Amino acid sequence: MKIPKAFILSLILSAALLGHRSASGQSGVKGKVTAAESGETLPGATVTLDPSGKGAITDADGDFELELEPGAYTLTVRYVGFEGQSEKIRVKPGEMRTANVALGSQTLREVKIEALGQEHLRGAQMGTANLDMELIETLPAFMGEVDLLKTLQLLPGVQAAGEGNAGFYVRGGGPDQNLILFDGAPVYNAAHLLGFFSVFNSDAIEDVQLYKGGMPANFGERLASVIDVRQRQGSKEEFKGRGGVGLISSRATFEGPIKKGKSSFIFSGRRTYIDVLTRPFINKDATFGGSQYFFYDLNGRLDFNLGEGSDIYISAYAGDDAFGFSSAQTEFSTDLDWGNRILTAGWRKRIGEKALFNLKGTYTNYRFGFTGGQDEFELRVRSDIRDYRIQPDFTFYLGGHRINAGVLYTFHDISPNNSSAVQGETVFDLGVQQQYYSHEGAAWIADEFDIGDRIRVEAGLRFSGFAHVGPFNRYLLDANGNNRDTVSYGSGERVADYFGFEPRFQMRYKIDEKSSVKASFTQNYQYIHLANISPLALPTDVWLPSTDLVEPLLGRQYALGYFRDLYDGKFEASVEVYYKDMKNLVEYKENTQPTDGVGNNEDNFLTFGRGYSQGVELFLRKVKGKTTGWIGYTLSKTERQFDALNDGRWYPAPFDTRHDLAIVAAHKISDKWTVSSNFVYGTGRPITLPANGYFIENRLTLDYGPRNSFRMADYHRLDIAATYTVDPMRTTTDPVTGETIEKQKRIQSKWVFSIYNVYSRLNPYFYYFDNEGRVEENTFQITARQVSLFPILPSVTWNFSF
């Protein structure tokens, strides 16, 4: 793929202009950025000087240096996971002023959704949120398991996929339209236990950034959102540990220096143990005596400071779900397993005082397996996705411009729903195994700059491309759906390719010191699709690339917002309106069965359509004081249209939620007690139900109404939690003087008491139909019945650190 000339030009300019340091006698500011608590240096922190528009990025030692004209400036330092800090400085003629900055970690009393006060007013970006793990850990948690994805569902424009589910929909986009990144590597299935828990262990996570509106040009690949999850770096100064013991799982994290001040490690693990605890109490001859389920996560990261503004890191994740059932009476057994493997390696190099180069390579593997058997018969179904990615990018300051440019290449290897069957020594022919190979690439350049004191612009252009290549067999079907011919493509031979420009634009106009207006436009192409027969997100859902039959998704989003500070910055308020149109959406054709793709191309059973989503989001949050929290409300409408579905008429999307409300509050009673709660409400989701029923040859036949023309009962739930912090100090007697002194305990701990669904609301999970009575007696009737999962659920978790 040809790299844009603008990207090449940016590299040349940066090399020519940015390696330059302050000469003797020039004015400016220099300093070091560190963490206040540990004293560790913070490489990669962003330093800006207003109103000059100049900026710098700290090197691997946390140092920065900027040339300035004499005058007064506001020095602002930002770093992910820390409170941003601003201070007034004055630079005299010929003075190189020193300004060392120590950033404190975010606390419950301060801003939690943005790393810097008034960032919602200053920045051009809109539709974004930054969640700090310390806040997430204080909120009520399902079964005591802290879950960052469930916390995202409490924000306006982000809707839950269902009861207890970690899946979510953003501004009318489907579950496949969210790009979830873990240290830069895509995660295809971010859920455990069929969606009830996410794969992210909170102890291993530093920061979560959500982009649901104006997406920066360095992100793409999906239409709806980007969730950028970053793993913590280990301490370079001392050995530490933390963990927790809950009702269904335990976790532990260890970190420390490899070489003090220069390198570090962090390792984290989590596992459920319901299978271990219940095994002694279940009779092997009972109906479920041969069943078991568990999941686990393993995280690790190594960081090395190479000196001279250079550092490298290696990050890894492995996690699996495993379910098994066997019956001694029927000789039936089944096994389900699915999981992720992720590996990231990165190199970061500071060039001069104003530029930073990043090189990142990632490997992602998501796999799903099913094995079922009885007597001598065994059926196996496997799906597998492998991604290999490399991404160099470059960020530098030139005058008052912050420029980012880079390229991304991904090789996709996808094997959807490949099946095999044997009985004894007989192997059944289920056709050629499906395999899709494809190349995806992108190049971008983005610029952030100010026009005067009131206008800030962030504009970018991304060019993306995709090629589906062989080896590949295309099965051509006749009108009855039978194979009539096969077209074979050799290794590397082009099957189909697609290219497109993705412009990005965001602008902020500052009305005054307390309010601003923002606007954004985003266009995205998405070349990977998720096809699901069930309305529930399951590990069996099939990922497919764009092919000669499946065109890439195309989405355009327009957004406008008003942002304001209230009551001396204690409250922040915003109103955002958006409209999004989507083309080339995919769904399975009517009456498609999961086995239809065996010995065939999965995309032969897809149909294609369009959709739109529009809405308004209201957000009010309290960011200062002992009580913090927010109220988020979304009014939205999402519809889709497929010529082959619902007689070609528009219908509500399965995740269309007209009203969505979340109220979140946390209050610090004392140094020992913090209480929190959240309340959620959502309009019932659309479903398709039978409108009539009749008998043909004594068999009941149901006549379904228009697609998604009925709605489930409305969803609402209240959760509460209380966190008790054990006194971190202990009293002891000095053996020499006999004086009573206080020392900090080696192990610090907290108890979290949580109640999920306080008033035990029976929210609908799905509906099924039951019938009773006899036709000949005129007593026959069909009844819709609701299945609910969770009543009131109390839990307790002990968290510790040392």
Side-chain angles (χ1 to χ4, degrees):
M1 184 180 299
K2 187 175 180 180
I3 299 175
K5 293 181 180 179
F7 174 60
I8 300 174
L9 180 60
S10 70
L11 297 178
I12 296 174
L13 285 173
S14 60
L17 299 177
L18 303 176
H20 167 92
R21 294 186 176 270
S22 299
S24 176
Q26 290 182 321
S27 306
V29 60
K30 64 180 179 179
K32 182 184 290 287
V33 180
T34 59
E37 295 179 357
S38 65
E40 297 177 48
T41 58
L42 299 179
T46 301
V47 182
T48 57
L49 274 296
D50 291 328
S52 72
K54 291 186 176 183
I57 299 168
T58 59
D59 62 16
D61 298 316
D63 295 324
F64 68 92
E65 185 174 331
L66 279 166
E67 298 175 14
L68 298 168
E69 295 295 326
Y73 299 92
T74 299
L75 172 72
T76 301
V77 181
R78 303 181 183 92
Y79 192 76
V80 173
F82 288 77
E83 293 178 28
Q85 184 171 314
S86 297
E87 62 178 274
K88 302 288 186 180
I89 65 170
R90 178 171 292 278
V91 177
K92 300 177 181 179
E95 176 191 28
M96 180 56 66
R97 173 163 181 165
T98 299
N100 295 322
V101 181
L103 299 182
S105 60
Q106 295 171 331
T107 67
L108 190 61
R109 297 184 297 274
E110 302 298 334
V111 180
K112 285 301 184 177
I113 302 181
E114 292 288 352
L116 181 66
Q118 288 198 319
E119 184 65 20
H120 66 298
L121 299 179
R122 299 179 184 180
Q125 287 188 351
M126 58 186 300
T128 63
N130 183 282
L131 294 181
D132 175 65
M133 292 309 303
E134 187 175 338
L135 170 65
I136 295 174
E137 291 171 356
T138 65
L139 296 179
F142 175 69
M143 295 297 290
E145 280 296 304
V146 174
D147 196 319
L148 63 91
L149 294 187
K150 284 192 175 65
T151 305
L152 289 177
Q153 296 170 9
L154 300 173
L155 299 175
V158 184
Q159 297 162 355
E163 174 72 274
N165 204 309
F168 56 94
Y169 309 101
V170 178
R171 288 187 172 178
D176 62 323
Q177 295 179 19
N178 303 312
L179 176 64
I180 302 177
L181 297 173
F182 181 74
D183 274 352
V187 182
Y188 281 92
N189 188 328
H192 287 305
L193 192 57
L194 302 179
F196 293 108
F197 302 101
S198 80
V199 300
F200 301 114
N201 180 350
S202 62
D203 287 347
I205 304 304
E206 176 71 43
D207 175 78
V208 186
Q209 182 78 39
L210 166 69
Y211 301 91
K212 60 179 177 176
M215 197 179 294
N218 58 305
F219 291 118
E221 305 174 79
R222 302 292 188 272
L223 295 193
S225 72
V226 175
I227 297 89
D228 190 12
V229 181
R230 303 180 187 182
Q231 189 171 199
R232 290 177 50 224
Q233 295 185 33
S235 171
K236 292 185 175 69
E237 300 301 323
E238 60 178 331
F239 179 77
K240 299 179 181 180
R242 61 186 304 185
V245 179
L247 294 181
I248 66 169
S249 71
S250 291
R251 63 191 190 278
T253 299
F254 303 97
E255 60 180 294
I258 299 174
K259 182 177 181 181
K260 194 169 183 177
K262 292 294 183 181
S263 56
S264 67
F265 72 88
I266 181 170
F267 295 107
S268 184
R270 176 177 62 162
R271 190 193 191 279
T272 58
Y273 36 65
I274 294 178
D275 57 322
V276 178
L277 296 179
T278 59
R279 190 176 300 151
F281 305 100
I282 298 179
N283 191 320
K284 294 182 179 180
D285 296 326
T287 303
F288 296 99
S291 62
Q292 64 171 356
Y293 170 80
F294 69 90
F295 71 75
Y296 74 89
D297 300 296
L298 296 173
N299 298 74
R301 176 166 170 143
L302 303 175
D303 286 86
F304 301 90
N305 183 343
L306 305 181
E308 298 183 354
S310 179
D311 64 303
I312 61 174
Y313 66 91
I314 300 172
S315 169
Y317 168 85
D320 283 306
D321 288 66
F323 171 78
F325 172 78
S326 62
S327 172
Q329 294 89 343
T330 63
E331 296 186 4
F332 172 78
S333 65
T334 182
D335 290 288
L336 285 170
D337 63 274
W338 65 95
N340 297 280
R341 300 289 186 272
I342 295 172
L343 181 65
T344 300
W347 172 50
R348 181 169 52 187
K349 171 66 176 178
R350 182 178 179 234
I351 303 174
E353 285 77 41
K354 302 178 182 179
L356 185 68
F357 175 75
N358 280 287
L359 178 63
K360 185 183 304 178
T362 71
Y363 166 77
T364 294
N365 174 223
Y366 169 67
R367 54 181 178 72
F368 165 79
F370 165 81
T371 302
Q374 189 167 17
D375 297 328
E376 293 185 348
F377 178 79
E378 183 177 82
L379 173 67
R380 295 180 181 177
V381 180
R382 306 290 298 181
S383 291
D384 206 0
I385 302 174
R386 288 185 176 89
D387 277 1
Y388 306 84
R389 296 158 60 99
I390 186 167
Q391 177 182 327
D393 67 80
F394 202 72
T395 302
F396 62 94
Y397 288 86
L398 183 60
H401 296 259
R402 181 184 184 274
I403 299 173
N404 175 260
V407 295
L408 170 67
Y409 167 75
T410 305
F411 176 71
H412 301 284
D413 178 359
I414 302 177
S415 305
N417 277 357
N418 286 317
S419 305
S420 62
V422 297
Q423 183 160 6
E425 297 182 357
T426 303
V427 179
F428 295 91
D429 183 8
L430 299 182
V432 178
Q433 303 290 297
Q434 296 186 72
Q435 197 89 6
Y436 294 86
Y437 300 100
S438 52
H439 305 275
E440 182 175 356
W444 69 88
I445 185 167
D447 187 10
E448 183 179 4
F449 57 93
D450 290 334
I451 302 175
D453 294 333
R454 295 183 179 270
I455 298 176
R456 175 166 293 180
V457 175
E458 185 175 321
L461 182 63
R462 183 183 179 96
F463 179 74
S464 63
F466 187 88
H468 175 209
V469 298
F472 178 70
N473 291 326
R474 164 60 66 197
Y475 300 108
L476 305 178
L477 308 183
D478 59 23
N480 297 319
N482 299 315
N483 291 349
R484 62 175 175 82
D485 199 2
T486 301
V487 178
S488 297
Y489 296 87
S491 179
E493 186 177 356
R494 184 184 67 85
V495 180
D497 54 34
Y498 302 94
F499 301 90
F501 285 97
E502 303 177 24
R504 313 289 172 80
F505 179 81
Q506 300 182 86
M507 185 181 73
R508 177 225 66 198
Y509 177 78
K510 185 170 69 173
I511 298 174
D512 52 38
E513 294 301 320
K514 295 183 178 180
S515 60
S516 63
V517 176
K518 301 181 185 182
S520 71
F521 169 75
T522 303
Q523 175 169 301
N524 281 0
Y525 283 95
Q526 179 174 327
Y527 301 101
I528 303 294
H529 313 262
L530 181 66
N532 52 344
I533 294 178
S534 167
L536 304 175
L538 299 173
T540 53
D541 294 341
V542 176
W543 286 90
L544 291 170
S546 296
T547 66
D548 53 331
L549 298 183
V550 184
E551 295 184 12
L553 297 173
L554 171 61
R556 297 185 181 94
Q557 182 175 215
Y558 311 82
L560 182 68
Y562 174 73
F563 301 80
R564 184 173 180 83
D565 272 357
L566 303 170
Y567 299 102
D568 297 324
K570 292 181 180 180
F571 290 85
E572 298 174 354
S574 65
V575 180
E576 294 187 41
V577 295
Y578 68 88
Y579 177 82
K580 179 192 297 183
D581 63 75
M582 297 163 280
K583 297 180 179 179
N584 305 324
L585 298 171
V586 301
E587 291 279 3
Y588 275 109
K589 297 176 181 177
E590 297 280 14
N591 303 317
T592 299
Q593 301 299 317
T595 56
D596 289 345
V598 176
N600 210 321
N601 300 129
E602 200 77 32
D603 54 1
N604 278 330
F605 303 96
L606 300 178
T607 185
F608 312 98
R610 54 185 173 145
Y612 75 89
S613 181
Q614 58 190 17
V616 56
E617 299 170 359
L618 308 178
F619 198 37
L620 175 67
R621 65 179 175 231
K622 187 174 185 295
V623 297
K624 294 180 181 179
K626 290 186 175 182
T627 301
T628 58
W630 67 83
I631 300 175
Y633 170 74
T634 304
L635 172 65
S636 63
K637 183 179 182 180
T638 303
E639 292 191 327
R640 294 187 167 190
Q641 188 272 328
F642 291 75
D643 292 340
L645 302 177
N646 201 46
D647 296 324
R649 299 190 300 262
W650 287 89
Y651 63 89
F655 38 84
D656 174 53
T657 302
R658 199 58 46 89
H659 302 280
D660 189 72
L661 172 70
I663 303 174
V664 179
H667 177 72
K668 185 168 184 177
I669 299 173
S670 64
D671 290 339
K672 291 186 176 183
W673 283 101
T674 298
V675 294
S676 61
S677 67
N678 56 256
F679 172 78
V680 294
Y681 169 84
T683 304
R685 298 190 179 282
I687 55 174
T688 306
L689 297 179
N692 300 289
Y694 49 90
F695 285 88
I696 298 179
E697 297 180 352
N698 293 323
R699 295 186 63 183
L700 176 63
T701 301
L702 298 177
D703 182 19
Y704 283 82
R707 195 176 184 95
N708 290 344
S709 57
F710 296 88
R711 285 188 179 269
M712 293 183 175
D714 290 352
Y715 183 98
H716 51 88
R717 191 190 76 244
L718 172 68
D719 309 325
I720 60 175
T723 301
Y724 174 74
T725 301
V726 179
D727 191 341
M729 307 301 291
R730 62 183 177 88
T731 302
T732 185
T733 301
D734 189 305
V736 178
T737 65
E739 296 180 355
T740 300
I741 58 175
E742 285 193 339
K743 288 187 176 181
Q744 184 169 309
K745 294 178 181 178
R746 175 60 178 164
I747 297 179
Q748 312 291 310
S749 65
K750 296 180 181 180
W751 288 91
V752 181
F753 307 93
S754 182
I755 301 178
Y756 179 89
N757 198 1
V758 172
Y759 52 86
S760 201
R761 161 74 174 178
L762 296 179
N763 288 299
Y765 188 59
F766 65 84
Y767 291 92
Y768 73 95
F769 292 89
D770 194 10
N771 58 75
E772 57 186 16
R774 298 174 62 86
V775 177
E776 56 269 23
E777 297 175 359
N778 201 30
T779 59
F780 183 85
Q781 62 179 1
I782 301 174
T783 305
R785 301 190 184 278
Q786 173 183 304
V787 174
S788 301
L789 292 182
F790 305 116
I792 182 172
L793 289 175
S795 63
V796 59
T797 303
W798 178 61
N799 297 319
F800 62 88
S801 63
F802 59 86

